[in-house]
Amino acid sequence: DGIRDDLVTGVQTCALPILLQGRGSLGARLQRQVWRAHRDRVEHLLLIGSDLPHLDVGGLLAAFSALSEGAPLVLGPAADGGYWLIGLGAALLGSDWRSGIRLFAGASAAIAWGSATVLQQTLQSADHLALPVTLLGQRADLDRPEDLKPWR
């Protein structure tokens, strides 16, 4: 399938842009990437962490597939209450890019980054903005030293 071929080729040749996050809270860094994607007329944006031992092509393909089918927002829930992947579709990067920025500001209060309620708060923010969400499978990421225990 074309999406898979493009993804594998892009990763193998490093043709996919890899951008530094910059400074600030996680919310500020996510907002910055949404703005950059809008500015650069990116059609689909995937934001992933580098602390994910079980990251595989299948999870990335599932996210790209959902975005290609019109999903505005794709989240990969993390076992700790956060997420391991954020995917934004054409609507949130094009004319409605400000909703992409507001998504990471929180619905009624700032998102408590690093807490066990990040996913829940982001889902509330998406609901407040009337954004449908596609959820991928849950994965465990490595945020704290104790997260390494299964890998010892």
Side-chain angles (χ1 to χ4, degrees):
D1 145 274
I3 295 172
R4 180 183 173 83
D5 293 342
D6 290 346
L7 177 63
V8 170
T9 300
V11 169
Q12 288 174 342
T13 63
C14 293
L16 296 174
I18 298 171
L19 304 172
L20 297 177
Q21 298 180 51
R23 296 177 186 233
S25 70
L26 179 57
R29 291 178 285 164
L30 293 171
Q31 290 172 334
R32 184 178 304 116
Q33 298 311 317
V34 172
W35 179 83
R36 282 180 176 166
H38 169 72
R39 177 195 67 195
D40 296 342
R41 293 185 164 87
V42 170
E43 187 176 346
H44 302 125
L45 175 66
L46 280 189
L47 302 165
I48 58 172
S50 60
D51 61 349
L52 194 67
H54 289 290
L55 180 63
D56 61 15
V57 171
L60 300 176
L61 288 173
F64 273 122
S65 178
L67 294 172
S68 294
E69 292 171 8
L73 178 61
V74 178
L75 296 173
D80 63 5
Y83 29 78
W84 59 270
L85 177 142
I86 303 162
L88 296 153
L92 288 178
L93 300 173
S95 59
D96 196 23
W97 69 276
R98 286 179 179 85
S99 288
I101 297 287
R102 287 192 298 270
L103 174 69
F104 301 115
S108 58
I111 292 175
W113 300 109
S115 75
T117 61
V118 171
L119 177 64
Q120 177 187 358
Q121 290 175 317
T122 304
L123 291 171
Q124 289 171 347
S125 186
D127 184 60
H128 180 75
L129 294 167
L131 293 173
V133 179
T134 300
L135 293 174
L136 301 177
Q138 186 180 78
R139 306 271 170 90
D141 58 2
L142 304 174
D143 292 329
R144 295 169 183 81
E146 56 268 19
D147 295 338
L148 291 169
K149 286 181 183 175
W151 301 99
R152 292 184 184 161

